[in-house]
Amino acid sequence: MRRFFSRFRNLFRSRQAESEMTREIASHLALLAEDFERRGLSPREAALAARRAYGGVEQAKELHREARSFLWIEQFLKDVRYAARNLFRNPGFTLLAALALALGIGANATIFGIYNTVALKQLPVADPARVVRVKRFLRNMNGYRFAYTEYQYLRDRNSVFSDLVAASSEIPVLASIAGAGAPEHLTGYAVSANYFAGLGVNARLGRTFLPDEDRATGANTVVVLGYRFWQRKFYGDPDVIGRTIKLNGMAYTIVGVAPPQFTSTDVLPTESGFWAPLSMIEQLNPAFGAGWRDKWRDAWQNAGFELLARLDPGVSRAKAQAETDLLLRGYLSGLRESLPTTAVTLERTSYLGSTGDVGFQVFAAAVLVTVSLVLLVACANVANMLLARGVSRRRAIGIRMALGATRLRLILQLLTESVLLALLGGAAGILLSAWAGRVLWTALSGIVLAFRGLRIELDLSPDSHVLLYGLALSVLTGIVSGLAPALQSTRLDLGAGPGRSRLRGLLLGAQVTVSVLLLVVSGALMGGVASSFVNSADLGFETHNTYRLRVSTRDAGMLPRLRDRLETLPELSRVSIGGAPLAETIGLAGSAGNWNGQTQTSFASDGYFETLGIPLERGRGFTRPESDRGAPVAVISESTARRLWPGQDPLGQYIHFARTFITATEYEVAGVAKDVRFTNLTEVDPMHVYLPTGAMPRLFGGVVFRIRARREKALAAVTSAVESVDPALLPSLDLVSLEEGPVAVRRSFYRVLGGFAGVLTLLSLTLAAIGVYGVMAFLVSQRTREIGIRMALGATSRAVLMSVVVQGLRPVLAGMLVGMAASAGLLAILAARGVVSSSGPFPATFGAAALYAELALMLATAVLASIVPARRALRVDPVVALRHE
Amino acid sequence: MSSEAGRMPVLQGTLDLIVLRTLESMGPQHAYAIATRLQQVSEDLLRLNQGTLYPALVRLEQQGRIKGTWRKTESNREAKFYAITKAGVKALAEETVRWRRMSGLVEKLLSEGA
């Protein structure tokens, strides 16, 4: 141990130790010489004799150094310096290789960064490791919602939690501040009074809720604001405490502002604008049906709250889970009609819920594997370039080995170089990923917002996890890409040409294979994107003046009441009830004649087809009585008619649906509507059945109307009409034209996909180009002499060029073939499982033109990347070439 | 050539022992004196470049078994004198026992095998 420290010290005192050693050796030599002089030699002879007797001074010094310090660290530092010099000397190579690695590592770090944020980071609460989320498993599903009674029961009887807090699901409200303009939509949560205290979250400003502040139903009019809402609406004014804010028309006193990092504890973390006490939930959420409103405190059926708990000190999660499970299941078994809860578990509080699920983990693993393929390509690239360079450095390596360097030493040195290279690439990759992660997340959350209507906020700044991951990945990458070249170039059987080029060809081929796999994926995405470029006019329905109105209500009679009221407005030309195209369709299993399968369905009232401008080709639409009571009649699309009853009259035929939530099972065909792109932007629906709105499940669909007056005037009239029916509907009122709503959402979805596909394409093409170029450049430099001789003997430049390019492209072509075969196999498997199909949004087949275009692009890239260095060979002066070496 | 053939390299691990023993019996010595002494005792049978001594000296000093100080020799030259420490004496005793056991064992095996 003591020796260890003294050696360690010597690392840093190397100069002092060195002079000490020199002094000692000099003294030793002097003493020796003195002795020899005493024996009668002349001083000069004595000095020489002393040298001889002493042995190699330098060797002695080296032994001395080795004994006094950690030689390997000194050597390592030396290697690093040497490697850095080497990399610096070849900036072109270094940049190219580092770029390849930066792309690979960057792609991985991006995905890991997002995974880290949603699944590894914990909620910004005090001591998050002691906080758990309560999760319930039902027979076929699982979830995080519990009834208030369950919360109470658990809170009062458990012996394992120091705190158990409850939060509602997100509540949309209309918020208005005196003197701050029109009311705006805001989302917030109703929470138990111990919510902030139990989670250990302190107010940024003011206070959080007092322990009893959730007891007086409808009377605890206090609110804690979200940090960003406070910044946006009050410009961070510290005097906001004590002011009032109206939520759904009711005045609340602002008592505090939450800290900036605390946005929400929801499983799907919607950014919260405010938190109010649980006792205010009825005032905040008028969407709750009447029965629910009265009984939310006592009814066990209404599972509307997420529960978080802080474990008592000294209680393990397993023990707490066992007790929670027992308590809740005991409570529910006493209720005859309760849903059969099979288990209750406690989860660590990752940012997103359910990240511990097998499904999520598999998904994350699949994505990581895909980006790892990119990294693998980059590794193969760099390995190939290093191999090529290793060959040109053979002479230097040979000399060093002849001078006594061990092979291990040289391998370590070469590995140092490749690891340094990878670290360089890794650093660039991490920077890249910080930016790419944000872009990717913006795109992903845009999709979530569009499809689920949820705004998810995520703090993607890289933390130590991401940096550590990047570092480990870089070192690993450096070793993986550097090992084979290092082994190869330190092997001293100088005649071993074929083996080397086989390895290079293999690496290049493998890399092209993976690139092709990536291209197939991007080609499939591109195919979908390409077919989504469609004019609104070609969708088959009117999108600019047609509006969709949705409200959140549990009252089944609300939509007809709204329709009746809107019909009286002169600003509207048509009003009907039904699902909005590109947003509200359902796939239903059905059968008719000898057809048996699934069809898209949607719901329509009388006047629906006229409102949307979809012509009826045959028969009739629905009448009002039919649509209101959900009569067993249906309108089908032309394609459906052709598919179900080819060559027959579809009118009067019957379609049978399995008994689900719709009201009947046998529907008689009353009309045939023109084919439109109702489900996807990318294609006309292969099958579509319209059912009367009365058959519609609650909370599905809305009012669809066409305006005839000026837009602002018409919408203002609609808003006040809704208010006159029920003011409680206003907070959740969602009013948008088909063009700006569903159509825009779909378009942006495909834009995001297109972006992905573009990046993927660019990535695989760039990597393939770098790889081919690297190998070709090397091949040409190897064959300079041969090319010179050939030219001298009269070969045309064309012939030489061809021979070089063909040699370079052979592994590329082989790789492309293998890649296509592999992806064909993969697609066959996916198609068999119904993941992809030749129709639908992702035409992932070899029929897709986009795919062939990308493969051609790949080949062109490879040819280009090999022609550039090959042309350099042609410029070689035969005389110079013959003198080469 | 013939004299070279009869000389032996120092057996791995024994140099420390020899150095410690020399310092114990002769008192503080500089490296040259130790090397000379070794050659005398071994009657030139040990093939030992004098420079080879240094790693052993460094090692022993780092282990705290010997301690070096710069002093003047009788001929008024500067040299680093090494003295055995208490820990060194103890280590020497232990190593000696071990060595005796080991060489005895080897001896026994060799004679029995014959």
Side-chain angles (χ1 to χ4, degrees), chain A residues 617-650:
Chain A
E617 301 287 305
R618 301 203 50 198
R620 58 177 181 86
F622 302 115
T623 64
R624 178 155 300 188
E626 271 174 354
S627 60
D628 279 0
R629 64 163 213 279
V633 287
V635 173
I636 62 176
S637 72
E638 287 172 289
S639 299
T640 316
R642 274 197 301 276
R643 175 86 180 270
L644 298 189
W645 298 284
Q648 294 175 48
D649 185 2

mmCIF file of all heavy atoms in Angstrom, chain A residues 617-650:
data_model
loop_
_atom_site.group_PDB
_atom_site.id
_atom_site.type_symbol
_atom_site.label_atom_id
_atom_site.label_comp_id
_atom_site.label_asym_id
_atom_site.label_seq_id
_atom_site.Cartn_x
_atom_site.Cartn_y
_atom_site.Cartn_z
ATOM 1 N N GLU A 617 -74.314 8.432 -54.041
ATOM 2 C CA GLU A 617 -74.402 7.908 -55.403
ATOM 3 C C GLU A 617 -75.713 7.174 -55.620
ATOM 4 O O GLU A 617 -76.304 7.214 -56.695
ATOM 5 C CB GLU A 617 -73.232 6.955 -55.680
ATOM 6 C CG GLU A 617 -71.870 7.612 -55.523
ATOM 7 C CD GLU A 617 -71.557 8.568 -56.663
ATOM 8 O OE1 GLU A 617 -71.612 8.120 -57.822
ATOM 9 O OE2 GLU A 617 -71.271 9.759 -56.390
ATOM 10 N N ARG A 618 -76.158 6.466 -54.611
ATOM 11 C CA ARG A 618 -77.406 5.702 -54.734
ATOM 12 C C ARG A 618 -78.161 5.781 -53.420
ATOM 13 O O ARG A 618 -77.578 6.056 -52.370
ATOM 14 C CB ARG A 618 -77.113 4.233 -55.039
ATOM 15 C CG ARG A 618 -76.308 4.014 -56.322
ATOM 16 C CD ARG A 618 -76.527 2.624 -56.852
ATOM 17 N NE ARG A 618 -77.930 2.294 -56.948
ATOM 18 C CZ ARG A 618 -78.390 1.051 -57.052
ATOM 19 N NH1 ARG A 618 -77.539 0.030 -57.047
ATOM 20 N NH2 ARG A 618 -79.676 0.795 -57.139
ATOM 21 N N GLY A 619 -79.453 5.496 -53.478
ATOM 22 C CA GLY A 619 -80.251 5.428 -52.266
ATOM 23 C C GLY A 619 -80.342 6.765 -51.570
ATOM 24 O O GLY A 619 -80.290 7.823 -52.198
ATOM 25 N N ARG A 620 -80.390 6.741 -50.244
ATOM 26 C CA ARG A 620 -80.631 7.974 -49.477
ATOM 27 C C ARG A 620 -79.734 8.015 -48.249
ATOM 28 O O ARG A 620 -79.098 7.016 -47.891
ATOM 29 C CB ARG A 620 -82.094 7.995 -49.029
ATOM 30 C CG ARG A 620 -82.437 6.761 -48.190
ATOM 31 C CD ARG A 620 -83.862 6.802 -47.684
ATOM 32 N NE ARG A 620 -84.142 5.616 -46.876
ATOM 33 C CZ ARG A 620 -83.862 5.545 -45.581
ATOM 34 N NH1 ARG A 620 -83.306 6.557 -44.948
ATOM 35 N NH2 ARG A 620 -84.140 4.450 -44.900
ATOM 36 N N GLY A 621 -79.682 9.195 -47.606
ATOM 37 C CA GLY A 621 -78.992 9.318 -46.325
ATOM 38 C C GLY A 621 -79.939 8.978 -45.202
ATOM 39 O O GLY A 621 -81.015 8.409 -45.415
ATOM 40 N N PHE A 622 -79.548 9.338 -43.955
ATOM 41 C CA PHE A 622 -80.398 9.034 -42.803
ATOM 42 C C PHE A 622 -81.447 10.107 -42.624
ATOM 43 O O PHE A 622 -81.214 11.277 -42.936
ATOM 44 C CB PHE A 622 -79.559 8.943 -41.524
ATOM 45 C CG PHE A 622 -78.478 7.908 -41.604
ATOM 46 C CD1 PHE A 622 -77.144 8.260 -41.572
ATOM 47 C CD2 PHE A 622 -78.810 6.561 -41.702
ATOM 48 C CE1 PHE A 622 -76.150 7.317 -41.641
ATOM 49 C CE2 PHE A 622 -77.810 5.608 -41.772
ATOM 50 C CZ PHE A 622 -76.481 5.982 -41.749
ATOM 51 N N THR A 623 -82.611 9.704 -42.094
ATOM 52 C CA THR A 623 -83.609 10.690 -41.677
ATOM 53 C C THR A 623 -83.332 11.055 -40.226
ATOM 54 O O THR A 623 -82.576 10.364 -39.545
ATOM 55 C CB THR A 623 -85.030 10.112 -41.761
ATOM 56 O OG1 THR A 623 -85.115 9.038 -40.828
ATOM 57 C CG2 THR A 623 -85.320 9.603 -43.159
ATOM 58 N N ARG A 624 -83.946 12.164 -39.770
ATOM 59 C CA ARG A 624 -83.682 12.573 -38.390
ATOM 60 C C ARG A 624 -84.147 11.533 -37.373
ATOM 61 O O ARG A 624 -83.381 11.196 -36.459
ATOM 62 C CB ARG A 624 -84.318 13.929 -38.094
ATOM 63 C CG ARG A 624 -84.094 14.342 -36.640
ATOM 64 C CD ARG A 624 -84.134 15.813 -36.437
ATOM 65 N NE ARG A 624 -83.134 16.504 -37.210
ATOM 66 C CZ ARG A 624 -82.869 17.810 -37.069
ATOM 67 N NH1 ARG A 624 -83.535 18.522 -36.184
ATOM 68 N NH2 ARG A 624 -81.965 18.388 -37.800
ATOM 69 N N PRO A 625 -85.348 10.989 -37.517
ATOM 70 C CA PRO A 625 -85.747 9.948 -36.531
ATOM 71 C C PRO A 625 -84.795 8.756 -36.552
ATOM 72 O O PRO A 625 -84.419 8.242 -35.498
ATOM 73 C CB PRO A 625 -87.149 9.541 -37.006
ATOM 74 C CG PRO A 625 -87.625 10.649 -37.862
ATOM 75 C CD PRO A 625 -86.430 11.309 -38.454
ATOM 76 N N GLU A 626 -84.373 8.371 -37.748
ATOM 77 C CA GLU A 626 -83.442 7.239 -37.841
ATOM 78 C C GLU A 626 -82.158 7.527 -37.085
ATOM 79 O O GLU A 626 -81.672 6.703 -36.299
ATOM 80 C CB GLU A 626 -83.096 6.969 -39.305
ATOM 81 C CG GLU A 626 -84.041 6.019 -39.996
ATOM 82 C CD GLU A 626 -83.725 5.914 -41.486
ATOM 83 O OE1 GLU A 626 -82.854 6.670 -41.977
ATOM 84 O OE2 GLU A 626 -84.354 5.079 -42.143
ATOM 85 N N SER A 627 -81.598 8.715 -37.348
ATOM 86 C CA SER A 627 -80.308 8.987 -36.731
ATOM 87 C C SER A 627 -80.455 9.185 -35.234
ATOM 88 O O SER A 627 -79.621 8.733 -34.452
ATOM 89 C CB SER A 627 -79.648 10.196 -37.386
ATOM 90 O OG SER A 627 -80.462 11.334 -37.233
ATOM 91 N N ASP A 628 -81.527 9.848 -34.793
ATOM 92 C CA ASP A 628 -81.655 10.119 -33.362
ATOM 93 C C ASP A 628 -81.858 8.862 -32.541
ATOM 94 O O ASP A 628 -81.345 8.731 -31.433
ATOM 95 C CB ASP A 628 -82.808 11.108 -33.109
ATOM 96 C CG ASP A 628 -82.359 12.543 -33.375
ATOM 97 O OD1 ASP A 628 -81.166 12.709 -33.744
ATOM 98 O OD2 ASP A 628 -83.177 13.472 -33.230
ATOM 99 N N ARG A 629 -82.611 7.892 -33.078
ATOM 100 C CA ARG A 629 -82.827 6.723 -32.229
ATOM 101 C C ARG A 629 -81.903 5.573 -32.612
ATOM 102 O O ARG A 629 -81.945 4.509 -32.020
ATOM 103 C CB ARG A 629 -84.289 6.304 -32.248
ATOM 104 C CG ARG A 629 -84.825 5.841 -33.562
ATOM 105 C CD ARG A 629 -86.128 5.069 -33.374
ATOM 106 N NE ARG A 629 -86.179 4.041 -34.412
ATOM 107 C CZ ARG A 629 -86.555 4.276 -35.659
ATOM 108 N NH1 ARG A 629 -86.954 5.481 -36.021
ATOM 109 N NH2 ARG A 629 -86.552 3.313 -36.550
ATOM 110 N N GLY A 630 -81.028 5.787 -33.612
ATOM 111 C CA GLY A 630 -80.075 4.748 -33.974
ATOM 112 C C GLY A 630 -80.737 3.572 -34.660
ATOM 113 O O GLY A 630 -80.555 2.424 -34.258
ATOM 114 N N ALA A 631 -81.520 3.869 -35.683
ATOM 115 C CA ALA A 631 -82.225 2.813 -36.409
ATOM 116 C C ALA A 631 -81.222 1.896 -37.117
ATOM 117 O O ALA A 631 -80.122 2.328 -37.449
ATOM 118 C CB ALA A 631 -83.152 3.440 -37.441
ATOM 119 N N PRO A 632 -81.585 0.653 -37.335
ATOM 120 C CA PRO A 632 -80.651 -0.298 -37.949
ATOM 121 C C PRO A 632 -80.529 -0.127 -39.452
ATOM 122 O O PRO A 632 -80.843 -1.041 -40.218
ATOM 123 C CB PRO A 632 -81.234 -1.655 -37.573
ATOM 124 C CG PRO A 632 -82.688 -1.417 -37.397
ATOM 125 C CD PRO A 632 -82.849 -0.003 -36.925
ATOM 126 N N VAL A 633 -80.122 1.066 -39.891
ATOM 127 C CA VAL A 633 -79.865 1.305 -41.306
ATOM 128 C C VAL A 633 -78.447 1.826 -41.454
ATOM 129 O O VAL A 633 -77.886 2.381 -40.513
ATOM 130 C CB VAL A 633 -80.855 2.323 -41.916
ATOM 131 C CG1 VAL A 633 -82.218 1.718 -42.098
ATOM 132 C CG2 VAL A 633 -80.925 3.572 -41.045
ATOM 133 N N ALA A 634 -77.862 1.639 -42.627
ATOM 134 C CA ALA A 634 -76.469 2.054 -42.839
ATOM 135 C C ALA A 634 -76.307 2.648 -44.219
ATOM 136 O O ALA A 634 -77.062 2.337 -45.139
ATOM 137 C CB ALA A 634 -75.532 0.868 -42.672
ATOM 138 N N VAL A 635 -75.314 3.540 -44.354
ATOM 139 C CA VAL A 635 -74.879 4.022 -45.661
ATOM 140 C C VAL A 635 -73.471 3.487 -45.850
ATOM 141 O O VAL A 635 -72.661 3.526 -44.914
ATOM 142 C CB VAL A 635 -74.891 5.562 -45.717
ATOM 143 C CG1 VAL A 635 -74.286 6.062 -47.024
ATOM 144 C CG2 VAL A 635 -76.319 6.084 -45.561
ATOM 145 N N ILE A 636 -73.180 2.957 -47.018
ATOM 146 C CA ILE A 636 -71.840 2.397 -47.232
ATOM 147 C C ILE A 636 -71.138 3.140 -48.358
ATOM 148 O O ILE A 636 -71.770 3.836 -49.152
ATOM 149 C CB ILE A 636 -71.908 0.878 -47.562
ATOM 150 C CG1 ILE A 636 -72.692 0.653 -48.853
ATOM 151 C CG2 ILE A 636 -72.543 0.113 -46.404
ATOM 152 C CD1 ILE A 636 -72.712 -0.803 -49.271
ATOM 153 N N SER A 637 -69.818 3.024 -48.388
ATOM 154 C CA SER A 637 -69.072 3.678 -49.462
ATOM 155 C C SER A 637 -69.105 2.810 -50.714
ATOM 156 O O SER A 637 -69.395 1.619 -50.648
ATOM 157 C CB SER A 637 -67.628 3.918 -49.030
ATOM 158 O OG SER A 637 -66.927 2.686 -48.982
ATOM 159 N N GLU A 638 -68.786 3.434 -51.859
ATOM 160 C CA GLU A 638 -68.786 2.702 -53.136
ATOM 161 C C GLU A 638 -67.894 1.471 -53.071
ATOM 162 O O GLU A 638 -68.264 0.389 -53.523
ATOM 163 C CB GLU A 638 -68.248 3.608 -54.244
ATOM 164 C CG GLU A 638 -69.167 4.698 -54.706
ATOM 165 C CD GLU A 638 -68.413 5.628 -55.652
ATOM 166 O OE1 GLU A 638 -67.553 6.371 -55.169
ATOM 167 O OE2 GLU A 638 -68.685 5.582 -56.859
ATOM 168 N N SER A 639 -66.677 1.648 -52.528
ATOM 169 C CA SER A 639 -65.733 0.531 -52.462
ATOM 170 C C SER A 639 -66.307 -0.615 -51.654
ATOM 171 O O SER A 639 -66.149 -1.782 -51.989
ATOM 172 C CB SER A 639 -64.420 0.978 -51.824
ATOM 173 O OG SER A 639 -63.825 1.981 -52.587
ATOM 174 N N THR A 640 -67.003 -0.242 -50.575
ATOM 175 C CA THR A 640 -67.601 -1.268 -49.735
ATOM 176 C C THR A 640 -68.640 -2.064 -50.526
ATOM 177 O O THR A 640 -68.683 -3.298 -50.450
ATOM 178 C CB THR A 640 -68.262 -0.625 -48.495
ATOM 179 O OG1 THR A 640 -67.391 0.365 -47.969
ATOM 180 C CG2 THR A 640 -68.563 -1.658 -47.431
ATOM 181 N N ALA A 641 -69.455 -1.311 -51.276
ATOM 182 C CA ALA A 641 -70.493 -1.968 -52.064
ATOM 183 C C ALA A 641 -69.867 -2.943 -53.066
ATOM 184 O O ALA A 641 -70.307 -4.084 -53.210
ATOM 185 C CB ALA A 641 -71.325 -0.921 -52.795
ATOM 186 N N ARG A 642 -68.826 -2.470 -53.738
ATOM 187 C CA ARG A 642 -68.158 -3.326 -54.725
ATOM 188 C C ARG A 642 -67.561 -4.557 -54.045
ATOM 189 O O ARG A 642 -67.572 -5.655 -54.567
ATOM 190 C CB ARG A 642 -67.045 -2.552 -55.437
ATOM 191 C CG ARG A 642 -67.519 -1.752 -56.628
ATOM 192 C CD ARG A 642 -66.347 -1.373 -57.513
ATOM 193 N NE ARG A 642 -65.355 -0.582 -56.795
ATOM 194 C CZ ARG A 642 -65.446 0.736 -56.637
ATOM 195 N NH1 ARG A 642 -66.461 1.389 -57.137
ATOM 196 N NH2 ARG A 642 -64.519 1.390 -55.981
ATOM 197 N N ARG A 643 -67.012 -4.358 -52.873
ATOM 198 C CA ARG A 643 -66.332 -5.429 -52.177
ATOM 199 C C ARG A 643 -67.331 -6.465 -51.654
ATOM 200 O O ARG A 643 -67.126 -7.679 -51.774
ATOM 201 C CB ARG A 643 -65.540 -4.812 -51.007
ATOM 202 C CG ARG A 643 -64.855 -5.764 -50.092
ATOM 203 C CD ARG A 643 -63.483 -6.131 -50.650
ATOM 204 N NE ARG A 643 -62.814 -7.058 -49.779
ATOM 205 C CZ ARG A 643 -62.028 -6.688 -48.777
ATOM 206 N NH1 ARG A 643 -61.816 -5.414 -48.559
ATOM 207 N NH2 ARG A 643 -61.458 -7.589 -48.012
ATOM 208 N N LEU A 644 -68.445 -6.001 -51.084
ATOM 209 C CA LEU A 644 -69.372 -6.921 -50.426
ATOM 210 C C LEU A 644 -70.338 -7.586 -51.404
ATOM 211 O O LEU A 644 -70.655 -8.758 -51.263
ATOM 212 C CB LEU A 644 -70.172 -6.186 -49.339
ATOM 213 C CG LEU A 644 -69.366 -5.592 -48.196
ATOM 214 C CD1 LEU A 644 -70.297 -5.101 -47.086
ATOM 215 C CD2 LEU A 644 -68.400 -6.608 -47.626
ATOM 216 N N TRP A 645 -70.801 -6.755 -52.341
ATOM 217 C CA TRP A 645 -71.796 -7.320 -53.264
ATOM 218 C C TRP A 645 -71.408 -7.007 -54.688
ATOM 219 O O TRP A 645 -72.064 -6.196 -55.357
ATOM 220 C CB TRP A 645 -73.182 -6.753 -52.933
ATOM 221 C CG TRP A 645 -73.615 -7.121 -51.540
ATOM 222 C CD1 TRP A 645 -74.077 -8.330 -51.122
ATOM 223 C CD2 TRP A 645 -73.614 -6.268 -50.397
ATOM 224 N NE1 TRP A 645 -74.356 -8.308 -49.783
ATOM 225 C CE2 TRP A 645 -74.072 -7.048 -49.306
ATOM 226 C CE3 TRP A 645 -73.255 -4.943 -50.166
ATOM 227 C CZ2 TRP A 645 -74.198 -6.542 -48.028
ATOM 228 C CZ3 TRP A 645 -73.376 -4.446 -48.896
ATOM 229 C CH2 TRP A 645 -73.841 -5.231 -47.844
ATOM 230 N N PRO A 646 -70.355 -7.596 -55.192
ATOM 231 C CA PRO A 646 -69.919 -7.263 -56.552
ATOM 232 C C PRO A 646 -70.999 -7.627 -57.568
ATOM 233 O O PRO A 646 -71.529 -8.747 -57.544
ATOM 234 C CB PRO A 646 -68.656 -8.088 -56.735
ATOM 235 C CG PRO A 646 -68.693 -9.145 -55.687
ATOM 236 C CD PRO A 646 -69.493 -8.601 -54.558
ATOM 237 N N GLY A 647 -71.347 -6.665 -58.400
ATOM 238 C CA GLY A 647 -72.330 -6.920 -59.448
ATOM 239 C C GLY A 647 -73.758 -7.008 -58.958
ATOM 240 O O GLY A 647 -74.655 -7.346 -59.720
ATOM 241 N N GLN A 648 -73.994 -6.737 -57.681
ATOM 242 C CA GLN A 648 -75.369 -6.818 -57.181
ATOM 243 C C GLN A 648 -75.824 -5.456 -56.700
ATOM 244 O O GLN A 648 -75.023 -4.557 -56.498
ATOM 245 C CB GLN A 648 -75.447 -7.792 -55.985
ATOM 246 C CG GLN A 648 -75.152 -9.227 -56.324
ATOM 247 C CD GLN A 648 -75.138 -10.069 -55.079
ATOM 248 O OE1 GLN A 648 -76.038 -9.997 -54.249
ATOM 249 N NE2 GLN A 648 -74.092 -10.886 -54.927
ATOM 250 N N ASP A 649 -77.071 -5.329 -56.451
ATOM 251 C CA ASP A 649 -77.601 -4.094 -55.895
ATOM 252 C C ASP A 649 -77.397 -4.125 -54.389
ATOM 253 O O ASP A 649 -77.950 -4.981 -53.699
ATOM 254 C CB ASP A 649 -79.102 -3.990 -56.227
ATOM 255 C CG ASP A 649 -79.664 -2.659 -55.760
ATOM 256 O OD1 ASP A 649 -78.859 -1.837 -55.217
ATOM 257 O OD2 ASP A 649 -80.875 -2.447 -55.909
ATOM 258 N N PRO A 650 -76.597 -3.190 -53.856
ATOM 259 C CA PRO A 650 -76.338 -3.227 -52.406
ATOM 260 C C PRO A 650 -77.537 -2.778 -51.572
ATOM 261 O O PRO A 650 -77.614 -3.129 -50.400
ATOM 262 C CB PRO A 650 -75.160 -2.267 -52.244
ATOM 263 C CG PRO A 650 -75.256 -1.335 -53.402
ATOM 264 C CD PRO A 650 -75.850 -2.130 -54.526
#
